[in-house]
Amino acid sequence: MDNVYAYIQDHTERAIGLLERLCSQPSISAHGVGLEEMANLTAAAMREYGLDAALLPVEGGPPLVYAEAAGRSPHTLLFYNHYDVQPADPLDEWTSPPFEPSRREGKLFARGVSDNKGDLAVRLEAIAALREVSGELPLSIKFVVEGEEESGSPHFPAAVGAYKDKLAADVCLSEGTGIGPDRTPSLVLGVKGMLYVELSAQSAKVDAHSAYATVVPSAAWRLVGALNSLKEADGRVAIAGFYDAVRSLTPQEKQALAAMPDTSEALREALGLEAFLDGLTGYDWQERLLGAPTCNICGLEAGYTGPGLKTVLPARARAKVDFRLVPDQRPQEVLAQLRAHLDRNGFSDIEIHPIADHERPVRTPVDDPWVQAAALATEQFYGTPPEIAINSAGTAPMDVLVDEVTSSLLFAPGGAGYEGSRIHAPDEHIRISDLVDAIRVTARLLLEFGRMGS
Ligand SMILES: [Zn+2]
């Protein structure tokens, strides 16, 4: 292992050079800028690093970059990455131009340098190190690199379905996790799912003078009533059947939650809250945050909210509502339960418009052998056991990979960034010392994965 670590240290400049090349090409999915060019550049870089790479056409979207390389063990690892980035605005808040990588004070600044081009460079460098030091890869490797992650991956599920035989793998590593404060490494074993809907009420053809409020129904009151019916006074979701499919946490999952560092105080202070809902703290806070589903009003719109007064009775009202789901809830089932709930409570006039694709929750078990191998490799590298999140509180389109391609999916160390990397914001950057460690721990993970079943 020391030879591999030394090789990685000696090739730091090559790694930085690769990352600078990747970050010099704008690839903004929200604006459709530079995606074909970036896909080609990514495939070319992968070929330089000894992988067989090709672009896979995607109906309606930019291509996937696919690559593979054979290794010693009979198992195959699939790396998921994305080659698109967030828009760079506001441009005047960047110290150096976002698509001209700039090195200063031991850091590298550029849009995408952490999210997610850094992870891709890390993985290619780890592969090069293992091959050049030991002559072979410990296991076979595939890559799927998409070009629309920052825009919600609208075409990814269908594309994975179309190429599922090509992508098939024993385990999938999604984007790498960055290093936490105090150098704490982490494994994240899945994501919450998502159902996103717009609810709308229409009470009349046109708005009316508010003098008619005694006799004309209001869309605003209708919608407020419908929204209010979605939750009990104690905050639980009131939709019949909503919790039926929620899988109880296993003893190992509860143990993992209990071992996580308590970040609740820092968040409470950052948000300026007196207290969290129900006075949650410690383990209960952690379990609610990661283990419970949500029903959240993202936005509300009706009538007049401008300056001064306008006495109007709104004919239309709408709200955006998101449900973050946990295993084994299914977005389509929750959608049907929501419709039934509104109908049963006298709100059959409220329309439900699903927005975008629904995502199912994913949670790989703590005792999954690939998770155990990743935890072991991480602990060996950092000298401390990783914190294990049973899933992220957020959502990503990982369900299709678990359905079609692999049974074990996780986020493991090997991200180039840290908590201060300012991803999605001006002056996105990584620390160059973290880049070297990320390559090393990725090599360590690959070696441990290569030992599986042997
Ligand atoms: Zn991102």
Side-chain angles (χ1 to χ4, degrees):
M1 202 64 228
D2 287 348
N3 293 347
V4 176
Y5 290 163
Y7 176 96
I8 291 166
Q9 183 72 51
D10 292 346
H11 291 77
T12 306
E13 283 304 319
R14 186 181 68 189
I16 296 168
L18 170 62
L19 188 46
E20 286 176 337
R21 266 193 291 154
L22 296 173
C23 292
S24 299
Q25 170 64 52
S27 53
I28 306 167
S29 53
H31 305 158
V33 167
L35 298 177
E36 290 283 339
E37 292 89 336
M38 191 66 216
N40 280 309
L41 176 65
T42 303
M46 290 171 138
R47 287 185 201 112
E48 273 174 46
Y49 279 75
L51 293 128
D52 278 329
L55 302 193
L56 305 180
V58 171
E59 187 147 355
L64 296 179
V65 182
Y66 171 78
E68 60 183 30
R72 182 169 31 81
S73 97
H75 295 125
T76 300
L77 161 69
L78 175 70
F79 279 128
Y80 165 88
N81 289 92
H82 60 91
Y83 61 78
D84 64 322
V85 298
Q86 284 278 321
D89 346 40
L91 290 176
D92 58 2
E93 290 184 21
W94 285 80
T95 308
S96 51
F99 298 108
E100 294 172 27
S102 164
R103 261 164 99 167
R104 28 183 213 275
E105 299 145 20
K107 296 171 181 160
L108 183 62
F109 291 79
R111 168 57 84 230
V113 71
S114 172
D115 179 16
N116 175 246
K117 294 174 181 179
D119 297 18
L120 185 62
V122 162
R123 289 167 173 185
L124 293 177
E125 283 291 335
I127 288 169
L130 289 170
R131 273 183 157 173
E132 284 170 44
V133 173
S134 64
E136 63 180 353
L137 283 174
L139 78 170
S140 295
I141 287 174
K142 297 177 177 179
F143 275 92
V144 60
V145 191
E146 68 151 318
E148 291 183 302
E149 193 272 347
E150 301 292 7
S151 297
S153 303
H155 302 100
F156 188 63
V160 170
Y163 297 114
K164 61 181 180 183
D165 295 336
K166 207 181 237 319
L167 301 180
D170 298 285
V171 57
C172 175
L173 286 183
S174 189
E175 294 177 57
T177 57
I179 199 70
D182 312 323
R183 255 173 82 81
T184 318
S186 62
L187 299 180
V188 182
L189 307 190
V191 291
K192 284 192 183 176
M194 168 77 82
L195 170 67
Y196 199 113
V197 296
E198 180 178 305
L199 299 182
S200 66
Q202 177 136 22
S203 52
K205 266 201 294 197
V206 289
D207 289 353
H209 191 293
S210 73
Y212 291 115
T214 44
V215 292
V216 172
S218 157
W221 280 117
R222 285 299 291 163
L223 185 63
V224 167
L227 290 171
N228 195 45
S229 79
L230 296 180
K231 284 212 171 186
E232 310 279 8
D234 66 1
R236 279 180 58 93
V237 177
I239 299 170
F242 182 75
Y243 293 100
D244 288 358
V246 175
R247 195 200 300 167
S248 5
L249 296 175
T250 65
Q252 293 101 317
E253 286 165 347
K254 289 186 176 176
Q255 209 182 343
L257 283 170
M260 288 185 77
D262 188 351
T263 55
S264 62
E265 262 312 290
L267 181 67
R268 193 186 61 72
E269 277 180 27
L271 296 177
L273 294 175
E274 288 271 305
F276 285 104
L277 288 172
D278 302 329
L280 287 166
T281 57
Y283 176 87
D284 296 334
W285 182 86
Q286 201 76 258
E287 185 183 304
R288 185 84 70 88
L289 177 66
L290 299 185
T294 71
C295 169
N296 172 57
I297 301 172
C298 298
L300 274 172
E301 194 177 81
Y304 182 74
T305 56
L309 60 82
K310 178 188 176 194
T311 48
V312 66
L313 190 165
R316 275 175 295 274
R318 58 195 185 118
K320 304 259 187 190
V321 175
D322 71 3
F323 297 87
R324 289 194 191 261
L325 308 178
V326 299
D328 295 310
Q329 289 177 304
R330 291 285 172 265
Q332 287 299 345
E333 274 173 33
V334 174
L335 182 61
Q337 290 165 349
L338 173 64
R339 180 71 272 165
H341 168 90
L342 291 173
D343 292 348
R344 203 176 311 115
N345 287 274
F347 293 107
S348 49
D349 57 313
I350 301 289
E351 289 186 15
I352 305 174
H353 313 273
I355 310 279
D357 277 338
H358 310 319
E359 286 153 358
R360 290 177 300 283
V362 167
R363 186 188 291 154
T364 302
V366 176
D367 55 6
D368 178 280
W370 297 99
V371 171
Q372 291 300 315
L376 179 65
T378 304
E379 178 164 0
Q380 284 169 344
F381 182 77
Y382 286 103
T384 172
E387 59 174 74
I388 298 180
I390 56 170
N391 50 252
S392 156
T395 301
M398 295 296 121
D399 51 347
V400 64
L401 291 172
V402 173
D403 287 349
E404 307 278 12
V405 167
T406 183
S407 52
S408 303
L409 178 141
L410 63 153
F411 300 74
Y418 69 112
E419 77 282 359
S421 278
R422 306 194 63 171
I423 61 170
H424 295 202
D427 279 348
E428 179 175 352
H429 66 276
I430 59 164
R431 300 182 295 208
I432 286 166
S433 55
D434 289 337
L435 180 67
V436 174
D437 273 355
I439 299 167
R440 287 173 162 174
V441 74
T442 300
R444 188 82 200 70
L445 277 162
L446 294 181
L447 279 172
E448 202 57 48
F449 281 177
R451 294 200 180 103
M452 294 282 295
S454 64

Short mmCIF file of all heavy atoms in Angstrom, two decimals, residues 82 86 115 149-150 424, ligand 1:
data_model
loop_
_atom_site.label_atom_id
_atom_site.label_comp_id
_atom_site.label_asym_id
_atom_site.label_seq_id
_atom_site.Cartn_x
_atom_site.Cartn_y
_atom_site.Cartn_z
N HIS A 82 -21.05 12.90 -12.42
CA HIS A 82 -21.70 13.76 -13.42
C HIS A 82 -20.71 14.80 -13.94
O HIS A 82 -19.86 15.26 -13.19
CB HIS A 82 -22.98 14.42 -12.88
CG HIS A 82 -22.81 15.31 -11.67
ND1 HIS A 82 -22.56 16.66 -11.78
CD2 HIS A 82 -22.86 15.05 -10.35
CE1 HIS A 82 -22.48 17.19 -10.57
NE2 HIS A 82 -22.65 16.24 -9.68
N GLN A 86 -23.18 23.44 -11.89
CA GLN A 86 -24.16 24.50 -11.66
C GLN A 86 -23.73 25.76 -12.42
O GLN A 86 -22.55 25.96 -12.67
CB GLN A 86 -24.20 24.84 -10.16
CG GLN A 86 -24.92 23.83 -9.31
CD GLN A 86 -26.42 24.03 -9.33
OE1 GLN A 86 -26.92 25.15 -9.32
NE2 GLN A 86 -27.16 22.93 -9.37
N ASP A 115 -17.60 19.64 -7.09
CA ASP A 115 -18.88 19.02 -7.48
C ASP A 115 -19.03 19.09 -9.00
O ASP A 115 -19.51 20.06 -9.52
CB ASP A 115 -20.02 19.76 -6.77
CG ASP A 115 -21.39 19.23 -7.11
OD1 ASP A 115 -21.49 18.13 -7.64
OD2 ASP A 115 -22.37 19.96 -6.84
N GLU A 149 -27.12 16.10 -13.93
CA GLU A 149 -27.39 15.93 -12.49
C GLU A 149 -27.82 17.23 -11.85
O GLU A 149 -28.73 17.26 -11.02
CB GLU A 149 -26.14 15.38 -11.79
CG GLU A 149 -26.42 14.87 -10.37
CD GLU A 149 -26.31 15.91 -9.28
OE1 GLU A 149 -25.79 17.02 -9.53
OE2 GLU A 149 -26.75 15.64 -8.16
N GLU A 150 -27.16 18.32 -12.24
CA GLU A 150 -27.47 19.60 -11.60
C GLU A 150 -28.80 20.18 -12.07
O GLU A 150 -29.25 21.22 -11.57
CB GLU A 150 -26.33 20.61 -11.86
CG GLU A 150 -24.96 20.17 -11.34
CD GLU A 150 -24.84 20.11 -9.82
OE1 GLU A 150 -25.85 20.29 -9.13
OE2 GLU A 150 -23.73 19.85 -9.33
N HIS A 424 -21.76 24.87 -5.58
CA HIS A 424 -22.90 25.62 -6.12
C HIS A 424 -22.76 27.13 -5.89
O HIS A 424 -23.64 27.89 -6.26
CB HIS A 424 -24.25 25.16 -5.53
CG HIS A 424 -24.61 23.75 -5.88
ND1 HIS A 424 -25.92 23.29 -5.86
CD2 HIS A 424 -23.86 22.70 -6.29
CE1 HIS A 424 -25.93 22.01 -6.21
NE2 HIS A 424 -24.69 21.63 -6.48
ZN ZN B 1 -24.18 19.70 -7.30
#
